[in-house]
């Protein structure tokens, strides 16, 4: 019995594919390498991406529109490629080997990017402020850029799930630690982001792009060393085969048995007799009563019984059916995160435009760029992540009795409420700002004498909302995903950020068209002193409030996943 308790019971193995030993693998001894890797990787990513638009304009000679579109297209790609990386991880390679392969592509891309900005021949020749890049030099830069996008696609969806794999879900003591891991994981991301958005941006603008890209490349190399240094401590979940194939098998089998009646006694539904699931790397899932139509796929007909081996396109196990049900159940929660991501995206758009109209001076000689105020979002995350883990959770646990203090859905809901207040605070500031403009007749003044630091509260609230919603989302999608689909579900959660940006674009486009009819300036004109940006903030606050009420209904209807043999 003692020997049995020395090994994990969630299907994880060590690097030699033996059952993972609890004493020598996993837990925080493994996670310190994963967190170090993530901190350096995010420093590298934000270090080269935060100021990328300025490189395209100053060194590659692109206009504002072209440079902006290239950055957003590349950024969108960085949130699409995780779907590809996640599929490979869940289906064939496993999370460790997917990260190991893609991290090498990533560091190669960072190296090429640095060379394209520093080596004669690859580096555009400049005369003063005017640069004339050759077609080959531009091509080398974009090859490097999209190598990075491909590399990040294998890391983004896998690394958080890989870290969570280091804690045995069947062990109550380790399971409590897993919740803390997601807090410290997000903390490490923001440590990297803080250094990148402050120190590295300054180096790029004041020292040179050679150092500005070179330091992130070195950080990425350190990230690689961190990752491989912890290999002997890691616990690995085995890949379970193509998750998409299993999903389509259930759908096809259900429609093939359209006229078959599901028995009232659900124990009659087809499942393998073994204790383990027939899906590699996955525990058995208990039957649920939601989406009953798909239960038809697990009904064993006389025709199925005649076959010595079950045809998966005609007969599926209960666990396979429940996998599909789990994914369908996650989609409404996923969709409710898009509006939150839209609010989050305002930090890089409307908050910056609002800040551009305010006094940016710190003392008589130094000005802070309005985009740099996003530092206060990062500081907020760095402040609230440990506060949540060390103080809020223990306090909430006394009132709720829940191990995590709040359920994952409660945590995400709290973040949605805080995001509403962030929009309200931003709107109130804009009302005050416009009143100041009208009172003093500052309609055509570029920067009114009102400190930009009045924006700090709205950035700080967004950071606080992130700690609740984004970290809760990370944990929720890992925990509620079927065992063999965790990377794919993590990638799915990342797409809310991309869709939130797209929704923001759509809203701005619609608002501009509707409010500029009849020769009016509209809510968001080039001169914000003559516009009504506050109305746009109120619109987002109302949409966030409606989204929250819909979320409450979705959360109330949601049924948490239950593995066979579990008690909760």
């Amino acid at each position: 019995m003692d020997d049995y308790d020395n090994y994990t019971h969630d299907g994880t193995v060590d690097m030699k594919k033996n059952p993972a030993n609890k004493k020598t693998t996993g837990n925080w001894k493994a996670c310190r390498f994963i967190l170090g890797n993530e901190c350096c990787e995010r420093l590298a990513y934000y270090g080269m991406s935060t100021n990328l638009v300025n490189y395209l304009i100053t060194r590659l000679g692109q206009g504002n529109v072209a440079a902006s579109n290239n950055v957003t297209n590349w950024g969108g790609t960085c949130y699409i490629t995780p779907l590809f990386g996640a599929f490979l991880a869940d289906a064939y390679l496993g999370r460790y080997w997917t990260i190991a392969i893609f991290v090498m592509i990533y560091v190669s891309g960072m190296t090429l990017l640095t060379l394209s900005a520093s080596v004669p021949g690859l580096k555009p020749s400049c005369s003063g402020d005017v640069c004339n890049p050759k077609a080959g030099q531009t091509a080398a830069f974009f090859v490097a850029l999209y190598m990075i996008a491909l590399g990040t696609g294998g890391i983004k969806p896998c690394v958080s799930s890989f870290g969570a794999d280091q804690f045995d879900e069947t062990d109550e003591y380790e399971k409590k630690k897993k919740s803390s891991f997601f807090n410290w994981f997000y903390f490490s991301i923001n440590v990297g982001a803080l250094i990148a958005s402050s120190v590295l941006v300054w180096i790029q603008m004041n020292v040179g792009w050679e150092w500005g890209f070179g330091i992130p490349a070195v950080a990425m190399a350190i990230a690689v060393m961190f990752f491989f240094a912890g290999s002997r401590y890691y616990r690995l979940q085995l890949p379970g085969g193509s998750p998409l194939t299993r999903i389509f098998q259930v759908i096809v089998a259900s429609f093939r048995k359209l006229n078959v009646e599901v028995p009232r006694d659900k124990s009659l539904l087809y499942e393998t007799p073994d204790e383990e699931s027939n899906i590699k790397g996955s525990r058995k899932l208990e039957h649920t009563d939601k989406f009953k139509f798909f239960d038809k796929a697990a009904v064993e007909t006389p025709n199925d019984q005649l076959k010595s081996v079950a045809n998966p396109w005609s007969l599926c196990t209960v666990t396979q059916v429940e996998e599909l049900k789990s994914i369908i159940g996650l989609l409404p929660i996923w969709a409710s995160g898009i509006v939150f991501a839209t609010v989050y995206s305002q930090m890089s758009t409307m908050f910056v435009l609002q800040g551009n109209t305010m006094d940016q001076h710190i003392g008589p000689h130094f000005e802070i760029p309005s985009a740099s105020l996003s530092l206060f979002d990062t500081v907020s995350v760095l402040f609230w992540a440990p506060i949540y883990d060390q103080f809020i959770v223990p306090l909430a646990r006394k009132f709720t009795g829940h191990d995590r203090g709040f359920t994952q859905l409660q945590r995400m809901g709290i973040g949605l409420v805080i995001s509403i207040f962030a929009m309200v605070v931003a709107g109130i500031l804009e009302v005050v700002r416009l009143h100041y403009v009208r009172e003093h007749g500052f309609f055509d003044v570029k920067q009114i004498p009102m400190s930009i630091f009045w924006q700090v509260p709205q950035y700080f609230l967004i950071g606080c909302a992130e700690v609740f919603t984004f970290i809760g989302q990370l944990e929720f999608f890992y925990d509620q995903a079927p065992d063999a689909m965790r990377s794919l579900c993590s990638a799915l959660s990342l797409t809310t950020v991309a869709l939130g940006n797209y929704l923001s674009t759509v809203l701005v486009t619609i608002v501009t068209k509707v409010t500029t009819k009849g020769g009016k300036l509209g809510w968001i004109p080039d001169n914000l002193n003559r516009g009504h940006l506050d109305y746009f903030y109120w619109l987002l606050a109302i949409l966030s409030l409606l989204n929250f009420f819909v979320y409450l209904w979705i959360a109330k209807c949601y049924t948490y996943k239950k593995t066979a043999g579990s008690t909760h």
Side-chain angles (χ1 to χ4, degrees), residues 77-365:
T77 304
C78 288
Y79 282 96
I80 296 299
T81 52
L83 291 172
F84 171 66
F87 175 79
L88 284 180
D90 283 340
Y92 305 112
L93 299 177
R95 285 184 267 280
Y96 174 84
W97 289 109
T98 301
I99 296 171
I101 292 169
F102 281 80
V103 81
M104 300 310 296
I105 298 172
Y106 199 138
V107 77
S108 298
M110 290 297 302
T111 302
L112 180 57
L113 187 74
T114 304
L115 293 175
S116 72
S118 56
V119 175
L122 286 176
K123 175 183 176 181
S125 56
C126 300
S127 176
D129 293 332
V130 180
C131 295
N132 297 296
K134 297 177 181 177
Q137 294 169 336
T138 302
F141 175 83
F142 278 101
V143 166
L145 207 59
Y146 280 88
M147 282 177 70
I148 294 168
L150 178 60
T152 196
I155 297 172
K156 271 180 185 288
C158 295
V159 69
S160 62
S161 297
F162 185 62
D165 287 344
Q166 308 310 311
F167 301 94
D168 185 355
E169 277 197 353
T170 64
D171 185 312
E172 286 301 319
Y173 178 69
E174 288 197 12
K175 191 174 181 179
K176 290 178 183 177
K177 291 182 179 180
K178 186 176 70 176
S179 184
S180 291
F181 165 77
F182 285 105
N183 291 320
W184 291 108
F185 177 80
Y186 208 75
F187 182 89
S188 66
I189 288 175
N190 281 273
V191 169
L194 180 67
I195 297 169
S197 59
S198 54
V199 178
L200 287 179
V201 168
W202 185 88
I203 289 173
Q204 288 164 355
M205 300 304 291
N206 295 277
V207 180
W209 291 100
E210 300 88 342
W211 285 95
F213 286 154
I215 294 172
V218 171
M220 194 60 221
I222 295 171
V224 172
M225 290 188 286
F226 261 116
F227 179 74
F228 286 111
S231 293
R232 64 185 176 134
Y233 299 110
Y234 294 148
R235 297 175 185 173
L236 282 59
Q237 282 281 5
L238 297 172
S242 171
L244 298 181
T245 301
R246 293 198 302 277
I247 287 172
F248 284 119
Q249 283 172 344
V250 175
I251 295 171
V252 170
S254 298
F255 278 99
R256 289 178 70 173
K257 296 177 177 177
L258 199 61
N259 298 319
V260 172
E261 191 173 332
V262 178
R264 290 187 178 181
D265 184 359
K266 300 304 185 286
S267 66
L268 297 175
L269 295 174
Y270 177 69
E271 184 57 276
T272 55
D274 304 328
E275 188 177 329
E276 298 296 323
S277 165
N278 66 343
I279 302 167
K280 191 184 293 184
S282 178
R283 292 164 293 169
K284 283 185 177 180
L285 295 173
E286 287 192 358
H287 176 267
T288 61
D289 289 327
K290 58 185 180 181
F291 312 119
K292 295 179 181 179
F293 171 77
F294 295 109
D295 287 339
K296 293 177 182 289
V299 176
E300 197 169 9
T301 63
N303 190 41
D304 292 322
Q305 292 170 349
L306 291 173
K307 298 175 181 176
S308 57
V309 180
N311 176 7
W313 293 95
S314 177
L315 180 63
C316 304
T317 64
V318 169
T319 295
Q320 192 174 338
V321 171
E322 291 301 320
E323 275 193 333
L324 174 58
K325 288 182 179 182
S326 295
I327 297 298
I328 296 172
L330 287 173
L331 291 178
I333 303 292
W334 166 81
S336 67
I338 296 172
V339 173
F340 177 81
T342 302
V343 170
Y344 177 76
S345 71
Q346 301 313 306
M347 286 195 301
S348 59
T349 53
M350 296 306 162
F351 284 13
V352 175
L353 295 178
Q354 186 183 35
N356 286 342
T357 68
M358 303 173 78
D359 183 10
Q360 300 168 16
H361 284 89
I362 303 176
H365 304 297

Side-chain angles (χ1 to χ4, degrees), residues 386-502:
I387 291 293
Y388 180 88
D389 191 56
Q390 299 297 317
F391 297 102
I392 295 177
V393 169
L395 184 64
R397 194 179 289 144
K398 293 179 181 178
F399 294 98
T400 65
H402 195 277
D403 289 341
R404 296 186 178 98
F406 299 106
T407 66
Q408 295 149 351
L409 290 174
Q410 287 171 341
R411 180 176 185 173
M412 291 160 65
I414 293 169
L416 294 182
V417 172
I418 296 171
S419 72
I420 297 170
F421 283 108
M423 285 296 96
V424 170
V425 168
I428 290 172
L429 175 62
E430 185 63 10
V431 168
V432 173
R433 196 190 69 80
L434 289 175
H435 176 74
Y436 191 87
V437 167
R438 287 191 292 269
E439 190 177 23
H440 295 88
F442 288 150
F443 292 102
D444 297 311
V445 174
K446 187 177 180 183
Q447 292 181 351
I448 66 170
M450 183 176 177
S451 175
I452 193 174
F453 289 101
W454 283 107
Q455 283 192 307
V456 170
Q458 62 205 54
Y459 280 100
F460 201 77
L461 283 170
I462 292 286
C464 182
E466 279 184 72
V467 169
F468 283 89
T469 296
F470 275 157
I471 301 178
Q473 193 178 57
L474 270 176
E475 185 179 356
F476 178 79
F477 275 84
Y478 176 87
D479 195 56
Q480 295 302 303
D483 292 347
M485 294 187 182
R486 280 175 163 162
S487 298
L488 199 61
C489 287
S490 293
L492 183 67
S493 71
L494 290 171
T495 60
T496 59
V497 178
L499 293 174
N501 279 281
Y502 297 148

